[in-house]
Amino acid sequence: MLGRTVDTVVAPPRRQAGLAEAGGGLLGDGLVEFALRVARGSTAERVAFHAGYRSASADPGVDHVSVITELRRLVLLAETHGGEWRDARAAAAEALAPHRGRLTVEARIRFHPKNGYTSLPRLDVHLGSTFAVQPALEVRTEPIDGPEPAGPGDRRAIVGAVVEATFAAPVARTVHTLVVYVDNVYMLLATIDLTRMP
């Protein structure tokens, strides 16, 4: 491990389209080896790799955004297997199959304090670019509870949510906007710059 730099591990083989183009076939040795190298790397190396998939938001209602491309998903899958796969190419292809052609965005959002939600409001999630806007294929949400209720009969307020939205992977690797509509009343925005994500 000594002497190996983070850049050596973090720089993926040239490709992004390669994963989507592979269809149901086996992945290239370079991609699988890269994912396994990251999974076997030090904590600092793995943190550095995953940090490249976080986006900051200027919207005060969005705490942070994390993007999972197919390449990052392959690394996450390798990490869950402890950096080891028997018949690595076949095992990697099988593990990645349900996620092919998908882009997942995880966001932690905060609701305006005046809303006083006691149940999770409806959240509609879209991903837009200058070319198109697409709704999420699947959305999973988990409420974030506020402090303890003021009195015994009061319900605890829901102050935010963790949102996981899956989209068809955009054809254009450009800058996209994550749009979260809350009860069709207001929206939260975050920028996702796919041009800087491997």
Side-chain angles (χ1 to χ4, degrees), residues 135-197:
L137 300 172
E138 180 182 357
V139 178
R140 296 180 183 177
T141 57
E142 181 180 329
I144 299 172
D145 292 329
E148 293 292 332
D154 296 334
R155 296 180 67 183
R156 182 181 291 197
I158 294 176
V159 297
V162 177
V163 180
E164 181 182 288
T166 300
F167 303 91
V171 175
R173 292 184 60 76
T174 60
V175 177
H176 296 262
T177 302
L178 180 73
V179 184
V180 182
Y181 295 94
V182 182
D183 261 349
N184 292 324
V185 175
Y186 66 99
M187 62 184 178
L188 305 170
L189 304 171
T191 299
I192 296 171
D193 187 354
L194 293 179
T195 65
R196 65 175 187 80
M197 296 180 186

Side-chain angles (χ1 to χ4, degrees), residues 12-142:
R14 283 196 53 134
R15 59 94 272 156
Q16 169 63 29
L19 274 174
E21 289 166 0
L26 295 182
L27 301 170
D29 287 332
L31 293 175
V32 175
E33 182 54 36
F34 169 75
L36 292 173
R37 271 202 333 263
V38 174
R40 294 172 187 147
S42 68
T43 300
E45 290 169 335
R46 285 184 278 112
V47 166
F49 171 78
H50 291 297
Y53 292 92
R54 287 193 174 261
S55 294
S57 175
D59 191 318
V62 181
D63 284 337
H64 74 262
V65 177
S66 179
V67 178
I68 304 176
T69 61
E70 286 187 45
L71 176 60
R72 186 178 181 209
R73 180 72 68 184
L74 186 62
V75 170
L76 290 168
L77 290 167
E79 288 177 339
T80 63
H81 286 84
E84 298 297 333
W85 262 316
R86 277 194 182 157
D87 189 6
R89 290 180 69 195
E94 182 180 354
L96 188 63
H99 309 284
R100 285 284 176 92
R102 299 288 185 259
L103 176 84
T104 299
V105 180
E106 297 173 350
R108 184 183 174 95
I109 61 174
R110 283 180 279 120
F111 303 136
H112 194 285
K114 290 184 178 178
N115 287 323
Y117 293 119
T118 54
S119 62
L120 194 62
R122 177 180 171 175
L123 302 174
D124 293 310
V125 189
H126 293 76
L127 189 66
S129 69
T130 54
F131 306 106
V133 175
Q134 62 165 312
L137 300 172
E138 180 182 357
V139 178
R140 296 180 183 177
T141 57
E142 181 180 329

